[in-house]
Amino acid sequence: MDPFKSSSMSPSIKLPWLPVRTKMGWPRRGQIYVWITFTSLLLFFCVTLTFNGHVWKMFDSNMHLDEYDDANEGYGLRKLLEDPEARIERLRQEGLEKRLPQCIIIGVRKCGTRALLEFLDLHPNIKIADMEMHFFNKDENYDNGYEWYRKYMPFSTSKDITIEKTPRYFISESAPERIFRYNSSIKLIVIFRHPTTRVISDYSQVYENKLERNKSFEPFEKIVIDKRTGRVNTGYKAVRISMYYYHLTQWLLYFRRHQIHIVNGDNLIVNPLEEIKKVETFLGLDHAITDGNVYFNETRGFYCMKSGINQHCLGAQKGRKHPDIDPQVIRKLNNFYRPYNRKLFAMIGQKFDWD
Ligand code: A3P
């Protein structure tokens, strides 16, 4: 007897994508097989996307599932099915622990902080915290204590360096002192980009967010220039963030210059490897990130990351098209930043081509 012909199996809710009875009668067995095949394929692709290529790897070569698991901490099926506490205990026995960061990327927002972190993640001895923790700048997080902070850190061995990035730290009043109290010999990384370009990038991000929420937003020129005085509007936060000299001074009250590595964000876009190698040296690590780990993606117009068979670029929120800006306003901004830039170069003993 064909079970699908039994009236007792008639479904009470008829969903269009289920093989239900239509005016033409019950679907034929062939149609049901097609439906099952289609659903299985759909499920397979969802799982594949979720694990970002790791499922393919499981079918790759003669890799044993355990080997696969060991090479891909957190993604293997064995580890997904394992009891979380047993997993933590096993990782501990293997020398893996959640360690507090030995290096922090403190800023600057819209200068390439995410790209920097993701390029560094390609290094076998660098372990990154995926989330921006806002631990040292937000009282409600800081009051939770270091053990709360540690919970969000990745597993690492004693040979690894854990890195956290929160660009907000750079302009925070409380972060420099708190980080100093946490670890006075910590390594800090700051990434700078042409200050005017950074303001435009900042504006573009906020503009896009407002547009998505159907909120109105003034043109860049109107926000950036004070219409009463005709001068650069320092009341606009994005303008103040690009006054790098002012903010970095607060950090140098606590940390010595050699503890702070400065990345050239403009160069990171066109020559990421050059900047990454300098960071590896600063962190005392081997130059493990090579040509084979970066490739230029024509569609994105940016360098992307490559590790084995896995490739990925940053999301569409990074590398937005900037609006066309009145050249006179650009000139005003450049003139405004020039004296701050000069002071910055003298303070850090490093120059950027920002004129
Ligand atoms: P735009 O979106 O203005 O182009 P942050 O991660 O600190 O928010 O910085 C975002 C900026 O990183 C982007 O600004 C983009 O120019 C820059 N960037 C640098 N390298 C990049 C890369 N490989 N892919 C995408 N964006 C990158």
Side-chain angles (χ1 to χ4, degrees):
M1 192 179 105
D2 188 339
F4 293 101
K5 284 190 175 159
S6 158
S7 58
S8 64
M9 292 198 64
S10 177
S12 51
I13 303 168
K14 289 182 182 178
L15 296 171
W17 43 274
L18 282 175
V20 293
R21 185 155 62 170
T22 65
K23 275 185 200 157
M24 311 283 291
W26 283 105
R28 271 172 300 169
R29 207 170 282 176
Q31 287 173 298
I32 290 165
Y33 291 148
V34 168
W35 180 82
I36 291 171
T37 313
F38 174 75
T39 315
S40 314
L41 275 173
L42 194 73
L43 247 169
F44 178 76
F45 282 113
C46 288
V47 172
T48 308
L49 279 177
T50 309
F51 294 111
N52 191 20
H54 288 265
V55 171
W56 292 114
K57 220 171 171 181
M58 277 171 32
F59 293 98
D60 184 29
S61 66
N62 300 318
M63 210 185 233
H64 188 270
L65 188 61
D66 279 355
E67 267 177 62
Y68 171 83
D69 272 357
D70 290 336
N72 297 276
E73 174 57 43
Y75 284 103
L77 288 184
R78 178 166 62 88
K79 281 177 183 161
L80 284 177
L81 297 173
E82 200 176 9
D83 170 53
E85 285 194 8
R87 179 168 170 257
I88 289 173
E89 188 45 42
R90 183 175 53 73
L91 291 171
R92 242 185 223 129
Q93 282 169 11
E94 288 168 16
L96 288 158
E97 274 176 38
K98 290 185 171 212
R99 292 174 166 82
L100 289 169
Q102 296 102 322
C103 171
I104 303 180
I105 300 177
I106 56 171
V108 180
R109 174 187 154 84
K110 304 318 297 169
C111 288
T113 54
R114 177 52 62 178
L116 176 65
L117 188 72
E118 300 223 357
F119 279 124
L120 291 176
D121 193 29
L122 295 164
H123 196 291
N125 294 115
I126 291 180
K127 301 287 178 274
I128 64 160
D130 283 324
M131 281 207 301
E132 292 183 4
M133 292 305 304
H134 292 270
F135 179 69
F136 295 104
N137 60 310
K138 279 196 174 168
D139 292 349
E140 63 265 37
N141 292 339
Y142 190 68
D143 293 344
N144 287 329
Y146 294 145
E147 287 316 304
W148 176 89
Y149 187 37
R150 188 197 298 275
K151 272 194 212 150
Y152 293 92
M153 293 300 128
F155 281 97
S156 63
T157 70
S158 56
K159 290 186 191 128
D160 298 331
I161 293 181
T162 300
I163 303 186
E164 193 248 317
K165 87 131 173 136
T166 299
R168 189 69 173 70
Y169 292 156
F170 186 64
I171 57 161
S172 153
E173 275 180 24
S174 50
E177 189 186 340
R178 283 175 177 176
I179 294 182
F180 180 78
R181 269 196 264 142
Y182 155 65
N183 177 358
S184 60
S185 55
I186 195 161
K187 294 189 175 186
L188 302 174
I189 298 179
V190 189
I191 172 164
F192 289 138
R193 185 185 190 182
H194 190 299
T196 304
T197 318
R198 201 217 66 81
V199 185
I200 299 170
S201 174
D202 207 323
Y203 169 86
S204 307
Q205 175 175 336
V206 179
Y207 175 80
E208 198 177 280
N209 289 345
K210 295 230 173 182
L211 217 62
E212 274 166 15
R213 284 180 281 141
N214 287 328
K215 286 194 169 176
S216 61
F217 205 55
E218 295 220 87
F220 180 80
E221 291 81 350
K222 270 199 169 172
I223 298 182
V224 143
I225 305 295
D226 184 330
K227 72 168 181 273
R228 282 174 303 115
T229 60
R231 293 207 185 131
V232 169
N233 175 15
T234 50
Y236 181 36
K237 190 171 170 188
V239 165
R240 290 201 307 274
I241 296 176
S242 282
M243 295 157 79
Y244 305 138
Y245 167 75
Y246 170 76
H247 302 289
L248 194 67
T249 307
Q250 307 306 308
W251 291 88
L252 286 169
L253 293 177
Y254 295 91
F255 299 96
R256 288 195 268 165
R257 173 67 185 91
H258 69 82
Q259 279 176 267
I260 306 177
H261 177 73
I262 295 168
V263 174
N264 180 340
D266 302 300
N267 195 37
L268 185 79
I269 295 177
V270 292
N271 194 350
L273 216 50
E274 192 178 17
E275 292 303 317
I276 296 305
K277 280 186 190 303
K278 289 182 201 163
V279 178
E280 287 174 323
T281 306
F282 171 69
L283 296 176
L285 293 172
D286 295 341
H287 293 298
I289 305 173
T290 63
D291 282 343
N293 292 123
V294 299
Y295 72 98
F296 189 76
N297 183 308
E298 297 285 348
T299 321
R300 286 289 285 118
F302 282 96
Y303 279 92
C304 298
M305 300 82 194
K306 195 169 152 193
S307 175
I309 58 162
N310 296 317
Q311 300 185 347
H312 86 279
C313 299
L314 299 194
Q317 18 8 320
K318 305 288 175 185
R320 289 185 181 86
K321 193 182 169 328
H322 292 176
D324 291 330
I325 309 289
D326 179 348
Q328 245 189 320
V329 172
I330 303 252
R331 254 196 308 280
K332 259 191 189 173
L333 279 166
N334 289 347
N335 291 340
F336 169 78
Y337 284 119
R338 194 164 297 113
Y340 294 102
N341 295 343
R342 286 206 185 118
K343 282 187 189 176
L344 176 79
F345 300 157
M347 183 166 73
I348 63 177
Q350 198 174 336
K351 257 186 126 179
F352 297 107
D353 193 14
W354 287 347
D355 267 328

